[in-house]
Amino acid sequence: MNSDFRVRFAPSPTGYLHIGGARTALFNWLFARHHGGKFILRVEDTDKTRNTEEAAAAIYDGLDWLGLDWDEGPRAGGDFGPYFQSQRNGIYERHLQRLQTTGHLYDDAGATRFRSPREHVVVDDVVCGRIDFDLTNPETHPDMTIRRPDGSWIFHFVNVVDDIEMKISHVIRGEDHLSNTPKHIELYRALGAAPPHFAHIPLILNKDGSKMSKRDVGASLNTYIEEGFLPEAVRNYLCLLGWSPKDNREKLDLEEVVRLFELEKINRKNASFDLEKCTWLNGEYARELKGERFYALATRTLARAGIDLAAFPDPYIQAALDTCVGKFKTLAELPPYCGFYFRDDFPFNQEGVAKHFTPENQPRLVAVRDAFANAPSFDAATLETALKAAAAQLAVKVGLLVHPTRLAVTGSNAGPSLYHLLEVLGKEKVLARIERACQTFAFC
């Protein structure tokens, strides 16, 4: 354990939390938790034209949803604030004055530029290895601007100043920042500070090898929240984008990942994003979802889909949801899967109608209705016996009754176990729904 290890996630609040940013935050968080260090959230909000409070809230909400608590930063406080760059102007002015005093700056048409020492800068990166950057040619590596003519700050300068002031020991960020690192090291040296350890993690690419952009499917963390993914599944999948426990396992408990996580185990190759695999992994977690958490998430999902659960007693809702446990990959699948429990005017699947509401099936559905009407009780076992008896009397296979019955009472060709859903619906609803199907298609 090393309590002196300090890492930071420093997003710009300009829209939403990108899946790549979420992965960067996760790797920083895992590193801090593995070593007993500190995970700092710093908001780089110097771009006043793009930054919004809503976007900042989206970052907090996304990190909260993933379970990535920060030790210092907005809402948490700390000894090295403020944690918004927009509130740190005095700090930047002080460091700017230091560079001016030591002759590292010059004015260029109102902008302030940093005079490069024109040297080779070697970056010893934990992930990428040792890289020698040649900054001697001003044509290919011009002096960088650190302050614009309007007085606003350039990312490179304030980023380095903040990392110095906040005593950041390791900078873990995307590989797209690797080319900035030699410039940053020049600034560290000019300010008399030792550079932190750098670890540039591989980029996340689409399956076709293109860089993942904001417009690509799955790029926004909000997508997973809205589509009913479980945070532990998304977090698990993000762990595998560039890191693995080296034993081909894919479903990993968070505590184990914290124990195993080391920067040296991060893969040098770019990570390929696969939404199907993430969905599959979510299904693995969803199958284990049960109890109070399952009911809370399920009822919230149904309510968001416009289903008024207040019209139904709690025992009925719970019994209905019990038939759905372990039957979905994402919570977004729940409303179409079990919505029939909560509405009597559902539409009928047209393919199912063409296949199962055929002339020869019409008398069979009537027989099922009569068998259910005369059943001594309305539990799943009794209803299964009644339906099988009706099939025997008609001299047909049970399946020829099961499918039209399901379609009549749910409007769908698939769903929860037929006999259990019939028990949940109850005799009155089941008979009324079979009658509705008969009347709608005029075969009773």
Side-chain angles (χ1 to χ4, degrees):
M1 293 292 180
N2 193 327
S3 59
D4 292 331
F5 282 1
R6 293 172 58 82
V7 294
R8 47 69 168 177
F9 176 53
S12 297
T14 56
Y16 57 83
L17 186 56
H18 188 276
I19 198 70
R23 195 270 306 261
T24 297
L26 173 61
F27 279 20
N28 276 277
W29 184 89
L30 287 170
F31 178 83
R33 296 296 172 261
H34 175 83
H35 290 285
K38 298 293 185 181
F39 174 57
I40 295 101
L41 175 62
R42 183 174 77 223
V43 180
E44 299 193 339
D45 60 342
T46 55
D47 188 344
K48 298 178 181 178
T49 62
R50 299 176 60 203
N51 298 324
T52 66
E53 292 184 7
E54 292 78 12
I59 292 170
Y60 309 149
D61 293 344
L63 294 178
D64 284 340
W65 185 76
L66 284 171
L68 306 183
D69 56 317
W70 53 96
D71 303 297
E72 298 175 21
R75 303 193 308 191
D79 297 331
F80 299 89
Y83 293 94
F84 293 91
Q85 285 187 338
S86 60
Q87 300 172 11
R88 297 175 62 81
N89 192 63
I91 296 172
Y92 305 141
E93 292 282 4
R94 175 163 48 84
H95 284 270
L96 183 76
Q97 183 60 47
R98 181 172 184 177
L99 290 179
Q100 287 175 332
T101 301
T102 52
H104 287 94
L105 304 181
Y106 65 92
D107 183 78
D108 180 14
T112 303
R113 287 183 176 272
F114 175 79
R115 184 177 287 106
S116 172
R118 297 292 157 214
E119 59 187 357
H120 283 255
V121 176
V122 175
V123 178
D124 285 309
D125 193 272
V126 179
V127 176
C128 301
R130 186 178 179 87
I131 305 173
D132 186 330
F133 290 90
D134 182 0
L135 304 188
T136 59
N137 187 347
E139 296 297 322
T140 56
H141 293 87
D143 290 340
M144 62 176 155
T145 301
I146 64 173
R147 195 174 200 177
R148 301 180 185 91
D150 65 2
S152 60
W153 303 102
I154 296 294
F155 155 79
H156 303 291
F157 177 65
V158 294
N159 185 271
V160 167
V161 168
D162 287 343
D163 285 346
I164 293 172
E165 287 283 324
M166 294 181 182
K167 301 185 183 303
I168 300 302
S169 64
H170 294 72
V171 171
I172 307 168
R173 57 189 179 189
E175 192 175 340
D176 51 336
H177 285 290
L178 181 58
S179 61
N180 295 327
T181 304
K183 302 175 187 176
H184 294 181
I185 290 177
E186 286 188 330
L187 283 171
Y188 280 106
R189 291 172 177 170
L191 289 167
H197 299 282
F198 289 99
H200 288 88
I201 57 183
L203 300 180
I204 298 177
L205 305 180
N206 293 310
K207 292 177 71 174
D208 63 3
S210 62
K211 184 178 177 180
M212 193 175 222
S213 72
K214 292 183 177 181
R215 294 178 296 277
D216 290 326
V217 175
S220 169
L221 190 67
N222 288 345
T223 299
Y224 304 90
I225 300 174
E226 294 169 358
E227 291 298 319
F229 281 73
L230 300 173
E232 58 267 36
V234 175
R235 189 174 57 216
N236 188 158
Y237 181 68
L238 290 177
C239 288
L240 302 176
L241 291 178
W243 175 90
S244 75
K246 305 300 183 184
D247 57 10
N248 295 320
R249 284 182 302 147
E250 294 181 309
K251 188 171 182 292
L252 300 162
D253 179 80
L254 181 61
E255 291 184 2
E256 184 178 14
V257 177
V258 169
R259 179 174 59 82
L260 296 174
F261 187 82
E262 295 176 358
L263 294 178
E264 291 79 7
K265 291 182 180 179
I266 294 177
N267 196 323
R268 180 69 178 85
K269 294 182 179 179
N270 290 325
S272 178
F273 181 82
D274 188 343
L275 184 57
E276 292 181 3
K277 185 173 182 179
C278 183
T279 303
W280 167 81
L281 187 58
N282 195 79
E284 296 296 297
Y285 279 92
R287 273 197 284 274
E288 300 173 355
L289 194 61
K290 55 188 176 181
E292 291 184 6
R293 184 175 179 227
F294 167 69
Y295 294 122
L297 291 173
T299 52
R300 187 185 312 157
T301 300
L302 294 174
R304 287 181 62 184
I307 297 174
D308 182 12
L309 297 177
F312 302 90
D314 288 341
Y316 176 81
I317 297 172
Q318 183 163 329
L321 292 176
D322 280 342
T323 67
C324 305
V325 173
K327 301 295 179 65
F328 57 90
K329 290 183 179 179
T330 70
L331 286 160
E333 297 173 7
L334 265 183
Y337 185 79
C338 70
F340 68 86
Y341 282 119
F342 308 105
R343 59 180 297 192
D344 295 320
D345 61 344
F346 50 79
F348 295 93
N349 178 278
Q350 291 306 302
E351 291 183 7
V353 169
K355 185 175 182 179
H356 301 301
F357 285 173
T358 57
E360 59 268 26
N361 269 347
Q362 294 174 7
R364 297 169 185 168
L365 190 56
V366 173
V368 170
R369 180 195 62 187
D370 294 342
F372 287 167
N374 295 319
S377 61
F378 221 74
D379 59 88
T382 301
L383 293 172
E384 182 176 7
T385 299
L387 189 140
K388 289 180 176 179
Q393 187 175 2
L394 293 169
V396 297
K397 293 182 178 179
V398 175
L400 291 176
L401 301 187
V402 167
H403 297 301
T405 300
R406 176 185 295 280
L407 185 62
V409 300
T410 70
S412 176
N413 298 325
S417 164
L418 175 64
Y419 305 112
H420 289 96
L421 73 83
L422 292 171
E423 179 180 340
V424 173
L425 287 170
K427 186 172 186 177
E428 183 179 347
K429 277 185 178 291
V430 168
L431 297 180
R433 290 183 178 194
I434 294 177
E435 183 64 27
R436 174 184 176 235
C438 288
Q439 294 298 329
T440 300
F441 299 98
F443 56 72
C444 290

